[in-house]
Amino acid sequence: MKIKFLLFGFLLCRTISLGQQETHFFHTEHFGIEDGLHQGAILDFQVDKRDFLWVHTLGSLQIFDGKNFITPDHDIQDPALSGRFSFGFPDDLYFLSHSKLYVLPADHLRPTESKVLNMPLYDRKNHSTYFLYENLTHLFIWHPNDTVYQINKHDFKVDGAFRMPVKGNDIITISELSPRNCLPDQIEFIGEDHSLYLYDLKTGRLVKKAQYQFVSSATKLSKDTIAILEKDSLHILTPDQQLHFPLPDSIHDFYGIYLMPTAPGRLLVGLRHSIYEFNLHTMKWDSRIMKTGDGNLYNLITRRMKKDSGGNMYFLSFDKGLVKLYPRNSGFEYIGAEGKVSSFVKCIEGSDVNNIVLMGTLQNGLLIFDTLGSLRQQILDFPGGETNRFISNIIKVSESRFIILAKDAYQLDLEDDSVKIKRVARLEDNWTSYYDAPFSGYTAGQFFISSYDGLLDIKSGMETKIRFIPDHALNRSSAVTKFRQGYISSAGDSLKLFDASMQKVTATFAIPHFALSRSIISQDENHVLLGTDVGLYLIEIGKQAKVVKRIYDNMVYAILPGDLAGEFWFSTDYGLFRLKPDGQIINYSIENGLQDNEFNTNSRYKSSSGKLYFGGVKGINSFYPGRIKNVTDTIRPFISLLSINTKVVSRYIATQADRKYNFSHKENNIIIEFLGKGTRSPERYNYQYFIKELHATWVDIGRERHMQFHLAPGNYTIYYHVDDAFDANAIPTHFLKICIQPPFYKRWWFLCMIALLLTAFAFYLLQLHKKRQELKLRYEFQLGQRLQNERMRISRELHDNIGAQMATVKRNINFLINQSHQLTPDLVTKKMKDLESISTQINQELRDTIWAAQNEHITMADFITRIKNYIFQVLGPESQARVLYEEHCEKQVILGPFLALNLHRICQETINNIMKHAGATEIKLIFEGDEDQCKVTILDNGKGYNEVDSNQGYGLQNIRYRAGQIGAILHFNRIGSGSSLEVLIQELKLSNNTKEG
């Protein structure tokens, strides 16, 4: 129903009585410069879609994540940055700084460039731009040139401009509570003259709807209902009526945004000393929000207020930073001395009949409250002149009688709203201690206290009697409770069962050493819950003690049963936990309205009406379990920081983001910081993780949010979970993938390349070996072929030359044998000389053949030396012929054996012909040539010869044959007298390779 109909019954009323107000204490956290805020004075702030706060101080924008202020990486670096945030209606936020409009996209928490729209410039000193209106599709910005610009959010362009005859108020704006996609026809705003205007965008018509002397803040409650805060009253405006309600407190002395609609029909108003809630249904100021928490928060002036989706509220102080308020669970009640020194509660007892709660403290003596938490009396001075600041135990004898144990024992009686105390016994120093565990016996009026040195037996009747039993079997136990027909205690690594008189141990059970046992309670006939320094355990008691499971993994101080069968509550260092019958545990912390998150050992009490009391470091929390709302805290987990080698890679990675980050093998120092966003501070949640490739189970890091490790090269999936407490069976849902690349020499492509290279090299070696084998076989074949050719050549040499000459020798010998009787002695002598000459020639040719066969490479120098030796042997020392030599050649040129032998034979034949037929007295040999060609010229001064007549001679035929074998060109008789022979080899390399076939 529209608010204007809710107001119908109040139209005749000009004022409404303030009535009785309910006071709510909200836990408050204060964040300032010491927490990373750039300046204490915040100019503007806004909550984005993920409940991160954008905070603007002069010259900077920061993000507040619930614990820390982070300066994001973006391109807004103007040192004079000053402006306002948009109302935050779709996902993206906008920031208007002077003549520049920046868009901060929904994914702005990662380093990115912000889009910017430049608007007309203006003088900054006396004017400013501001947001006038915003819906899902457009922004309307008032500019000092008296123009309203319509900005399209989709393409970030100006769709229209409207002349504005009246300047609006740059602090107070009226935003749409439920924005629509369609463009507005009219815009409402507060002008500088404190008037409410209605501007028609189509016609340009401006209508003044109301005039005020002063306007501190204004906001929309619905499409047609506006709330306006004046100096002395709150105005509720509908199209038909204006209602005025007096303020319960004075307003601030400056402008701000002090109105904030919350739940339907609820309006929060920030006044000078507190935040008040106005009920739009009853039209009354029905509650007041008081701030509690660290520091002096009572005098912080509220400047602007915001609220996130979890119900947490934020406001800006005037110059001291940001304040966060947590909505209190209405079922919790606080009992303590408000505004005084915090009381460290050691023990609690109470009486519903007498509406009384007794609080024994560590330093502030005995405090007496009513059950609503109002302090009635503080007792420090006891009878006998003793001052007792430390109260160790309180024993409830009846609804009106209690035994107080301090330095001595005292009896406290309640009579007609008065308190009477008397001393009943003197205590020794070792009879009580901090870790005492009081419990009552089955016999009426009998009580026990387990101390570290023994058992204190207390009987209260007509006269209180106290007996101390030293070195009792209960020694060193601070956890004792009724169990079956007796008692059960826990100390160290054992459980002990006692009879009803506490004099006999009926059974002893071994259990793991859980450090200090602080509290124990029966769950049923066969099970107990044991609270220790390392967690809460469910233990089954049979023939032996068996640990069924670990329910909670941190220190447990005290345990009390709830309303339901199987329901228990236990106190810890992280608030109160409710253990439901189905095994689920729910955490309640200081943000839900507890006195503090830290509680004390055995500081608990359950009244006859079922009300639970837990004592902590700052008072008592009392509540009826059935009245505690089971508000579901939807925790959104983030990775708030991913850092590699101290360099920030990314911030606030959302749970939906399935991103994979790749780093080199040198970037292996990983720092990850987790963040849980919900209705409580990030420090109140429990964080756990496991790395799929390294862990088999979850790793509990408790309230620590940082994780640092070194990773070897590989692919890793880091799962993380945020909850009230450690959950070993949590389903891995949220994860981050990281790939540490190995060094290049360990990567697959490099290893493949090496394998390919090795394969190629092995193939090359195989081919090389194969080729060498082929070359070896070819060489061996060629060598055999050459050997065969050489054999054939030698055979031909022997056959053609030596063989023929040997045949001649044979004929001459046969002739001598057959004709010896007919031959004269002179003829025989002549024939014998011929045989000697032929034998000499055979011997020479044989040597030449062996010389050529033995030398595969013959230099030109070797060849010339061989010719000279031959001529010297042929001519002999008695010859008158003169031999001349000319050498115009490169002597290191190589001649093949076949070429050298044939060339040598040609020279031999020529010399022999000269000696036999020319009658020459002078012979000249000329050697010419280089690496490419070779020429040998033989000249004599003999009678010469006719080449035509000599063609039929055997010598010349032999010379031509051998020249043809080596590819030589012959020239005869190219001089004027005597005879000559030129042997020219034009292609020496080719002739060297010539083999005789």
Side-chain angles (χ1 to χ4, degrees), residues 620-719:
I620 297 175
N621 274 109
S622 62
F623 57 94
Y624 288 97
R627 296 181 183 177
I628 301 299
K629 296 179 181 178
N630 260 338
V631 180
T632 302
D633 184 5
T634 303
I635 307 170
R636 289 175 291 174
F638 289 86
I639 291 181
S640 61
L641 173 68
L642 174 61
S643 174
I644 305 297
N645 293 353
T646 70
K647 180 181 179 182
V648 176
V649 174
S650 186
R651 289 188 183 274
Y652 304 111
I653 304 172
T655 56
Q656 297 82 4
D658 181 10
R659 298 193 182 105
K660 184 175 182 179
Y661 293 86
N662 296 295
F663 305 107
S664 71
H665 68 284
K666 295 181 179 179
E667 298 174 312
N668 62 349
N669 185 12
I670 313 293
I671 297 177
I672 290 179
E673 180 179 315
F674 299 116
L675 176 71
K677 289 197 69 64
T679 60
R680 285 173 282 161
S681 170
E683 290 185 328
R684 312 296 188 225
Y685 297 115
N686 193 91
Y687 299 88
Q688 60 192 71
Y689 78 96
F690 81 88
I691 302 176
K692 181 180 179 181
E693 292 74 16
L694 300 180
H695 307 113
T697 58
W698 287 101
V699 178
D700 182 20
I701 56 176
R703 265 59 181 178
E704 290 293 329
R705 299 189 292 124
H706 290 78
M707 179 179 65
Q708 181 174 3
F709 44 81
H710 293 270
L711 292 179
N715 291 297
Y716 301 92
T717 303
I718 303 173
Y719 290 93

Side-chain angles (χ1 to χ4, degrees), residues 19-185:
Q20 185 176 3
Q21 297 174 359
E22 182 180 352
T23 300
H24 297 294
F25 292 95
F26 272 44
H27 173 66
T28 309
E29 290 181 331
H30 180 211
F31 301 94
I33 296 177
E34 64 278 5
D35 301 294
L37 184 65
H38 284 174
Q39 294 185 24
I42 300 175
L43 302 181
D44 194 16
F45 77 126
Q46 186 59 271
V47 182
D48 68 13
K49 69 166 189 174
R50 294 194 288 184
D51 286 340
F52 290 99
L53 263 67
W54 280 82
V55 179
H56 165 48
T57 58
L58 186 61
S60 70
L61 294 179
Q62 291 182 279
I63 296 172
F64 179 68
D65 62 11
K67 188 61 182 176
N68 301 306
F69 291 92
I70 304 297
T71 302
D73 297 323
H74 54 71
D75 62 351
I76 304 178
Q77 300 294 337
D78 185 1
L81 188 71
S82 180
R84 293 282 300 275
F85 289 106
S86 63
F87 306 140
F89 284 146
D91 292 339
D92 294 341
L93 279 179
Y94 297 85
F95 184 76
L96 183 60
S97 176
H98 304 298
S99 60
K100 291 185 178 182
L101 176 64
Y102 297 93
V103 58
L104 307 174
D107 203 17
H108 49 251
L109 300 184
R110 291 187 296 115
T112 181
E113 289 188 359
S114 299
K115 290 192 295 184
V116 59
L117 176 66
N118 292 309
M119 303 182 68
L121 297 175
Y122 63 91
D123 182 7
R124 295 185 180 184
K125 294 181 180 179
N126 301 318
H127 305 281
S128 63
T129 55
Y130 61 91
F131 292 102
L132 190 65
Y133 178 85
E134 178 184 8
N135 63 7
L136 295 177
T137 58
H138 286 81
L139 295 166
F140 289 84
I141 298 175
W142 189 90
H143 193 275
N145 61 11
D146 297 331
T147 303
V148 173
Y149 290 96
Q150 177 183 328
I151 310 299
N152 190 310
K153 294 181 178 180
H154 177 68
D155 54 15
F156 211 43
K157 294 181 179 179
V158 178
D159 279 356
F162 307 92
R163 297 297 298 173
M164 182 65 70
V166 175
K167 181 181 178 182
N169 191 305
D170 61 351
I171 296 295
I172 304 170
T173 56
I174 302 178
S175 62
E176 184 81 22
L177 187 64
S178 300
R180 297 164 295 166
N181 286 318
C182 60
L183 291 177
D185 296 331

Side-chain angles (χ1 to χ4, degrees), residues 333-338 357 369-376 622:
E333 297 175 2
Y334 171 71
I335 297 178
E338 187 69 47
V357 176
F369 298 87
D370 62 23
T371 54
L372 295 179
S374 298
L375 179 64
R376 289 188 176 183
S622 62

Side-chain angles (χ1 to χ4, degrees), residues 177-446:
L177 187 64
S178 300
R180 297 164 295 166
N181 286 318
C182 60
L183 291 177
D185 296 331
Q186 298 174 329
I187 293 179
E188 291 173 298
F189 66 95
I190 302 292
E192 279 190 324
D193 58 353
H194 304 291
S195 298
L196 174 63
Y197 289 96
L198 180 66
Y199 182 70
D200 192 306
L201 296 175
K202 291 184 177 181
T203 64
R205 182 184 176 190
L206 183 69
V207 176
K208 180 188 291 189
K209 297 182 65 176
Q211 175 69 51
Y212 302 94
Q213 294 183 349
F214 179 88
V215 176
S216 177
S217 185
T219 189
K220 275 211 169 189
L221 302 176
S222 69
K223 180 182 176 182
D224 52 9
T225 303
I226 299 174
I228 295 178
L229 182 64
E230 289 191 289
K231 284 186 177 181
D232 301 319
S233 62
L234 175 67
H235 288 221
I236 307 296
L237 281 73
T238 69
D240 303 323
Q241 298 293 331
Q242 295 188 27
L243 298 177
H244 305 272
F245 302 95
L247 300 181
D249 193 1
S250 61
I251 64 171
H252 302 307
D253 296 331
F254 50 87
Y255 291 168
I257 301 175
Y258 309 128
L259 300 178
M260 184 176 67
T262 55
R266 298 282 177 172
L267 177 66
L268 293 182
V269 182
L271 299 179
R272 181 175 295 277
H273 298 104
S274 298
I275 298 174
Y276 291 83
E277 187 173 48
F278 187 79
N279 190 324
L280 295 167
H281 296 286
T282 62
M283 291 298 161
K284 292 183 179 179
W285 301 94
D286 61 0
S287 62
R288 177 188 183 191
I289 296 175
M290 294 293 293
K291 302 178 288 291
T292 63
D294 296 333
N296 183 14
L297 299 174
Y298 293 94
N299 295 324
L300 291 180
I301 301 175
T302 305
R303 190 173 183 181
R304 294 181 187 174
M305 295 183 292
K306 300 291 180 183
K307 191 176 183 181
D308 62 21
S309 61
N312 301 316
M313 190 167 64
Y314 303 85
F315 71 83
L316 304 183
S317 65
F318 177 64
D319 59 354
K320 297 180 181 179
L322 178 70
V323 178
K324 183 176 182 180
L325 290 82
Y326 295 90
R328 178 180 179 177
N329 193 310
S330 58
F332 289 112
E333 297 175 2
Y334 171 71
I335 297 178
E338 187 69 47
K340 296 185 179 181
V341 178
S342 299
S343 296
F344 193 103
V345 182
K346 173 62 178 66
C347 48
I348 310 168
E349 279 293 346
S351 170
D352 288 344
V353 174
N354 293 285
N355 189 28
I356 204 77
V357 176
L358 302 180
M359 177 196 294
T361 69
L362 195 66
Q363 294 180 332
N364 295 328
L366 179 67
L367 285 83
I368 303 176
F369 298 87
D370 62 23
T371 54
L372 295 179
S374 298
L375 179 64
R376 289 188 176 183
Q377 188 176 355
Q378 179 180 12
I379 301 175
L380 291 173
D381 298 326
F382 286 75
E386 291 285 347
T387 298
N388 290 288
R389 291 189 170 273
F390 172 52
I391 308 298
S392 65
N393 281 285
I394 303 175
I395 302 296
K396 182 178 179 180
V397 178
S398 66
E399 292 292 332
S400 59
R401 176 169 291 180
F402 301 87
I403 297 174
I404 312 299
L405 299 180
K407 294 179 182 178
D408 293 329
Y410 303 89
Q411 179 175 303
L412 184 148
D413 292 298
L414 302 175
E415 298 180 3
D416 300 329
D417 293 332
S418 64
V419 175
K420 293 184 178 181
I421 300 178
K422 67 177 181 178
R423 186 168 64 183
V424 295
R426 185 170 296 278
L427 303 181
E428 300 293 337
D429 291 340
N430 63 336
W431 286 11
T432 60
S433 69
Y434 177 79
Y435 291 105
D436 289 346
F439 53 100
S440 58
Y442 289 104
T443 304
Q446 185 178 22

Side-chain angles (χ1 to χ4, degrees), residues 484-526:
R484 295 174 183 166
Q485 300 304 314
Y487 301 93
I488 188 169
S489 73
S490 173
D493 55 1
S494 65
L495 290 176
K496 293 181 180 180
L497 290 181
F498 291 85
D499 62 5
S501 66
M502 288 299 298
Q503 300 301 311
K504 181 181 178 182
V505 176
T506 60
T508 301
F509 304 100
I511 59 172
H513 196 288
F514 296 127
L516 179 64
S517 298
R518 293 178 180 267
S519 185
I520 191 171
I521 193 170
S522 299
Q523 188 192 49
D524 53 38
E525 283 295 316
N526 298 310

